[in-house]
Amino acid sequence: MPQLSTRVQKFTDSVIRRMTRISDEYGAINLSQGFPDFDPPKEMMDALAKAAYEGPHQYPITFGAQNFREALAKKQEKAIHRKIDPNTEIVVTCGGTEAMMAAMMTICNPGDKVMVFSPFYENYGADAILSGAEPIYIPLVPPYYDFDINLIEDGFKQGAKAIIICNPSNPCGKVFTEEELRAIGDLVLKYDAFAVTDEVYEHMVYAPNHHTCMASLPGMYEHTITCNSLSKTFSITGWRLGYLIGPAEVMEGAKKVHDFLTVGAAAPLQEAAVVGLNFPDSYYEELLKTYTEKRDYFLAGLDSIGLKHNIPQGTYFVMIDIQEFLDLPQFAGYTDLEFCEWMIRNVGVAAVPGSSFFKEEVNHLIRLHFARRKETIDEAISRLGKLKELVKC
Ligand code: GLN
């Protein structure tokens, strides 16, 4: 058989999505890939049913249906604190995944350097390879996931064209403070570079932390490509609705990339999602309240069974320290991936191995998420509670 491209040989499939497949195979409780096990808002499901009969069913405008972009602009103007032109400054994509890829393809030439924090959401590795960019990794140091601003300046001195910022951060739950973003933003401006932000968890930021959009800071709009999605905010990860916001010249490039990658996001789903985008602010307050309760409930559950974890400032992910298990003779030589596979088979709970998020050699962390109904969390904690008994047998 002829050889495949060298490009596809440079990365594996997504470990996050692989864990879902293994979890399903064994009927485990899936706390690996982050998606809710509860319904989206009823108004959106009703709107989708209506769209099934009334349309639209044909191609939308490639960069997003007009009413969808207008609703997005209206919603995000509040976060970015400026007018957003729905015709020239927004590109609707198939999920946040395509938004990130389109952003990278739009700004990177092969060989361009791009800074990525480690730990990072695993897509950014593949995004860099597919767009030809070379990542420079900036460590986020546990337990508070702080970073050294001097390393970022070094990266720009080495010619980095952009820095990717996941805020709030998947997988570590860090929420970048306004001061941190200003410090990074100052360097982006000083070196005439881009910030590419992934803000899909913008509405899951737990008090006293608060979310700041990089694009809202003075001078930064022209240098920021904001990637976002409706998946998490409206519990519709399968609808695949994402978007980019940025200056018109950059969006002009992104529109072309997007057009030839996917043509457009599903028309009936955009139509139904407009209803959600027009929800009042109380919707987001309620969503945050729900996730704050889930976070507190899940962390209390982990404490009750003695599993060590971080306290996420945002997102719905928690990192668990499994070193105490790896130190046991029966797990000698186990990687975190092997531990996760063992856990799916023997405990019935799926997690993502931490190594898929780190550039550094990290083998002692796994990621769980709590976008689950209370009953599911109870059952997951009860199963995880047996972990310690099980390994002593
Ligand atoms: N962001 C989700 C996670 O990290 C998954 C997103 C996806 O699989 N497209 O689990």
Side-chain angles (χ1 to χ4, degrees):
M1 190 164 128
Q3 284 258 304
L4 302 183
S5 71
T6 41
R7 197 183 295 124
V8 297
Q9 292 167 33
K10 285 191 194 153
F11 58 98
T12 67
D13 62 331
S14 152
V15 178
I16 297 177
R17 296 181 272 280
R18 195 191 311 164
M19 295 321 288
T20 283
R21 291 195 297 274
I22 306 177
S23 177
D24 289 350
E25 202 180 307
Y26 286 91
I29 294 180
N30 187 3
L31 304 188
S32 63
Q33 186 182 21
F35 61 87
D37 68 347
F38 41 88
D39 282 339
K42 184 173 179 310
E43 298 88 327
M44 295 176 78
M45 295 195 289
D46 290 344
L48 184 57
K50 187 162 174 272
Y53 288 96
E54 294 176 14
H57 289 296
Q58 310 310 326
Y59 300 124
I61 294 175
T62 171
F63 53 93
Q66 190 69 29
N67 58 345
F68 187 72
R69 276 180 287 110
E70 283 171 6
L72 273 178
K74 206 164 118 241
K75 173 181 179 296
Q76 291 311 88
E77 277 169 8
K78 291 184 206 153
I80 299 187
H81 306 144
R82 87 194 288 283
K83 279 253 159 269
I84 297 164
D85 184 337
N87 296 320
T88 59
E89 296 177 327
I90 296 185
V91 180
V92 176
T93 57
C94 296
T97 297
E98 191 207 337
M100 279 301 299
M101 184 66 82
M104 294 286 284
M105 300 281 248
T106 301
I107 59 171
C108 291
N109 285 316
D112 280 348
K113 296 188 173 76
V114 169
M115 279 184 271
V116 179
F117 288 102
S118 171
F120 57 92
Y121 174 46
E122 62 170 9
N123 278 35
Y124 308 155
D127 291 341
I129 291 166
L130 288 171
S131 63
E134 280 173 26
I136 298 176
Y137 292 96
I138 307 292
L140 285 175
V141 185
Y144 300 111
Y145 295 99
D146 299 320
F147 61 90
D148 179 352
I149 191 78
N150 296 316
L151 294 180
I152 296 183
E153 177 136 32
D154 287 349
F156 282 124
K157 282 187 184 151
Q158 289 171 51
K161 187 158 191 184
I163 179 163
I164 297 177
I165 304 160
C166 185
N167 183 32
S169 245
N170 179 3
C172 65
K174 176 184 175 69
V175 173
F176 285 79
T177 63
E178 184 171 331
E179 292 67 39
E180 287 174 325
L181 292 175
R182 278 179 185 269
I184 298 170
D186 286 347
L187 294 173
V188 167
L189 295 178
K190 180 172 170 190
Y191 291 90
D192 195 24
F194 284 113
V196 178
T197 66
D198 174 350
E199 306 189 23
V200 307
Y201 302 97
E202 65 182 331
H203 293 293
M204 290 165 203
V205 172
Y206 308 111
N209 307 285
H210 70 268
H211 181 247
T212 304
C213 282
M214 184 58 119
S216 72
L217 298 178
M220 284 308 294
Y221 188 77
E222 298 305 318
H223 286 259
T224 303
I225 305 174
T226 306
C227 302
N228 213 327
S229 132
L230 277 66
S231 289
K232 276 57 186 192
T233 303
F234 297 106
S235 309
I236 49 170
T237 61
W239 290 27
R240 313 308 303 127
L241 292 175
Y243 59 98
L244 296 159
I245 295 181
E249 310 81 81
V250 182
M251 290 304 102
E252 201 52 44
K255 280 178 183 173
K256 292 191 280 183
V257 172
H258 159 75
D259 193 358
F260 288 101
L261 270 179
T262 59
V263 177
L269 296 169
Q270 291 189 53
E271 180 65 25
V274 170
V275 173
L277 292 171
N278 288 332
F279 284 156
D281 289 348
S282 56
Y283 172 77
Y284 304 102
E285 287 154 20
E286 204 46 47
L287 182 80
L288 179 59
K289 188 165 161 272
T290 302
Y291 273 105
T292 303
E293 283 165 12
K294 285 191 189 299
R295 179 191 74 152
D296 296 347
Y297 192 66
F298 189 59
L299 297 185
L302 292 173
D303 290 337
S304 73
I305 56 173
L307 287 184
K308 295 192 194 107
H309 60 84
N310 70 327
I311 299 176
Q313 299 171 325
T315 75
Y316 46 49
F317 300 113
V318 183
M319 301 298 273
I320 313 289
D321 190 328
I322 54 161
Q323 190 60 54
E324 60 181 313
F325 300 106
L326 296 179
D327 287 342
L328 297 171
Q330 70 246 57
F331 294 115
Y334 264 53
T335 61
D336 55 352
L337 174 62
E338 286 163 340
F339 184 84
C340 286
E341 287 170 345
W342 177 89
M343 210 169 83
I344 289 176
R345 287 194 305 270
N346 295 281
V347 182
V349 176
V352 182
S355 56
S356 57
F357 304 106
F358 281 88
K359 171 65 183 160
E360 302 82 8
E361 280 293 313
V362 170
N363 193 42
H364 67 288
L365 296 173
I366 60 173
R367 192 196 76 177
L368 296 176
H369 80 86
F370 52 82
R372 289 287 177 262
R373 285 173 288 132
K374 189 168 172 286
E375 310 84 85
T376 320
I377 293 180
D378 285 341
E379 180 58 24
I381 292 293
S382 141
R383 292 184 187 191
L384 288 167
K386 302 209 178 91
L387 193 54
K388 291 197 181 184
E389 280 169 44
L390 213 58
V391 295
K392 283 196 191 101
C393 304

